[in-house]
Amino acid sequence: MDQKSGQEVWDPDWIERSKLVEVEGVTLVSGTAENWSRLWAFAARPDDLLICTYPKAGTTWIQEIVDMVQHGGDPQKCARAPMQKRMPFIDLFLPKPMTSGLEDAEGMPSPRTMKTHLPAQLLPPSFWEQNCKIIYVARNAKDSAVSYFHFHRMNQGMPEPGNWDQFLEAFLVGKVACGSWFDHVRGWWEAKKWHPILYLFYEDMKEDPAREIQKVAQFLGIELTAPVLKRIVQHTTFESMKDNPMANYSTLPTFFLDQGVSPFMRKGVVGDWKVHFTVAQSERLDEICAQKLESSGLVFRTEP
Ligand SMILES: Nc1ncnc2c1ncn2[C@@H]1O[C@H](COP(=O)(O)O)[C@@H](OP(=O)(O)O)[C@H]1O
Ligand SMILES: O=[N+]([O-])c1ccc(OS(=O)(=O)O)cc1
């Protein structure tokens, strides 16, 4: 901690590209796998809210929406700290001496809102036992893969992605951090049959943000007046969030997240996959998707 600025001081040597390690057959970054027993034993509280996503589904977007809904649409209150401090990322373990999301969560007073990228079968059991509310956001596989590829390029703590073709291969077989996208979206979809889970889609949020924000408010039992709803919509547009230092991760050092390589708030659209996928790659993903999501009732849109 820098005494003058009160800022955490990081050393570039702490950051290195992670290896992938399997936990119960799911590939996770090594920091999460090494701390598995602590994470599994995490003590959820009944009034905890958990935001779950496969990486790049719009996690930060729904986090900012939830924070605004919880704080009456007051942007000042949502500017109290960077996102990772407002809503700890429980499965993120950065090398010591940096604090982990788990420790931040443990030290946080209730009511807490936290974030995870864990698949449903790896969620610490106390979240089920305490009947915690969960908001899940899913994004179509093609845009998720593209966004995840660029995120691997810029996040110096993620495994090396290789080139696009190599990364997509790894994504399709689920050998990337957080495992298979297909298993993730399906696992959480099944879990909502027996647990209070609000399951949202990125594409729906783009189509009609006000409608989806209302679903969040209703799920949380909060009433929004028309002007508050309007303010939340405006505050959480891609353009607003791109310029918001408390939401765009610009407070993290560039030797960790190199936003010169690719910004965290990159494009924020549906359909950017068309710039990256060949026709053959797109058809292959469609085939796997049809097979993996068969008879689940889960349907994704890939067009704006
Ligand atoms: N307010 C917003 N509206 C639309 N997309 C947003 C957004 N805030 C973040 N995103 C997009 O969500 C993705 C990041 O997801 P996460 O927060 O889960 O890591 C990025 O996608 P792109 O890389 O396609 O631009 C980012 O641009
Ligand atoms: O706070 N962090 O260190 C942090 C936050 C978000 C993040 O992106 S994500 O896609 O892995 O959630 C990575 C690191």
Side-chain angles (χ1 to χ4, degrees):
M1 181 82 80
D2 177 55
Q3 296 303 325
K4 233 173 161 182
S5 65
Q7 296 271 316
E8 278 178 9
V9 180
W10 289 34
D11 183 334
D13 289 344
W14 294 337
I15 302 299
E16 55 182 45
R17 285 197 174 264
S18 172
K19 291 189 176 52
L20 291 176
V21 178
E22 281 196 14
V23 173
E24 307 283 334
V26 179
T27 44
L28 300 177
V29 289
S30 54
T32 313
E34 282 156 14
N35 288 281
W36 188 252
S37 53
R38 277 177 66 206
L39 181 55
W40 188 249
F42 180 74
R45 307 171 193 156
D47 57 355
D48 284 340
L49 173 67
L50 188 64
I51 292 176
C52 302
T53 56
Y54 190 83
K56 303 299 122 193
T59 327
T60 320
W61 187 12
I62 193 71
Q63 285 180 281
E64 192 68 22
I65 288 172
V66 166
D67 207 27
M68 283 289 278
V69 169
Q70 289 171 331
H71 290 93
D74 183 344
Q76 236 106 48
K77 288 188 179 151
C78 297
R80 67 193 178 282
M83 187 57 82
Q84 69 276 16
K85 294 293 172 194
R86 286 184 271 157
M87 298 184 183
F89 178 2
I90 59 168
D91 36 328
L92 178 74
F93 295 86
L94 296 170
K96 291 269 174 218
M98 292 175 280
T99 54
S100 68
L102 189 74
E103 281 161 8
D104 288 343
E106 284 166 347
M108 202 173 195
S110 292
R112 306 180 291 190
T113 301
M114 296 167 284
K115 152 187 168 184
T116 183
H117 289 317
L118 290 169
Q121 75 275 24
L122 293 186
L123 187 71
S126 61
F127 284 103
W128 307 123
E129 290 157 9
Q130 298 295 333
N131 207 31
C132 301
K133 284 187 186 176
I134 295 176
I135 299 180
Y136 187 83
V137 181
R139 185 183 195 182
N140 80 75
K142 292 177 183 175
D143 285 325
S144 295
V146 168
S147 183
Y148 211 12
F149 171 63
H150 290 293
F151 186 64
H152 276 71
R153 293 173 52 239
M154 64 87 82
N155 183 336
Q156 305 306 307
M158 292 298 275
E160 287 284 356
N163 63 29
W164 163 246
D165 293 350
Q166 292 165 327
F167 180 80
L168 182 63
E169 277 312 306
F171 181 89
L172 291 176
V173 295
K175 295 296 171 210
V176 290
C178 302
S180 157
W181 174 91
F182 306 96
D183 295 348
H184 207 284
V185 296
R186 187 168 185 156
W188 281 104
W189 181 254
E190 306 292 345
K192 88 180 173 65
K193 291 179 186 154
W194 46 268
H195 191 89
I197 297 174
L198 176 67
Y199 198 108
L200 301 173
F201 294 90
Y202 180 98
E203 294 75 22
D204 292 347
M205 290 165 63
K206 282 297 291 188
E207 183 181 73
D208 191 342
R211 179 189 64 206
E212 301 306 303
I213 291 167
Q214 281 286 26
K215 287 185 192 168
V216 169
Q218 201 175 7
F219 183 68
L220 299 181
I222 296 170
E223 276 207 31
L224 301 177
T225 62
V228 167
L229 176 61
K230 196 172 164 200
R231 227 172 23 243
I232 298 175
V233 171
Q234 282 165 351
H235 178 83
T236 56
T237 61
F238 176 75
E239 291 71 25
S240 304
M241 286 187 54
K242 195 175 170 66
D243 287 342
N244 179 350
M246 294 298 122
N248 65 16
Y249 292 110
S250 59
T251 58
L252 294 172
T254 45
F255 55 76
F256 176 32
L257 298 187
D258 191 343
Q259 307 224 23
V261 170
S262 179
F264 194 98
M265 301 293 168
R266 194 182 59 91
K267 288 197 178 171
V269 297
V270 179
D272 185 47
W273 62 271
K274 290 183 185 173
V275 178
H276 295 75
F277 276 71
T278 63
V279 172
Q281 285 173 333
S282 170
E283 287 175 354
R284 178 136 174 266
L285 192 150
D286 289 341
E287 252 172 57
I288 299 172
C289 209
Q291 189 196 344
K292 288 278 209 173
L293 301 187
E294 197 194 356
S295 70
S296 65
L298 247 182
V299 180
F300 284 89
R301 291 189 284 148
T302 54
E303 304 284 336

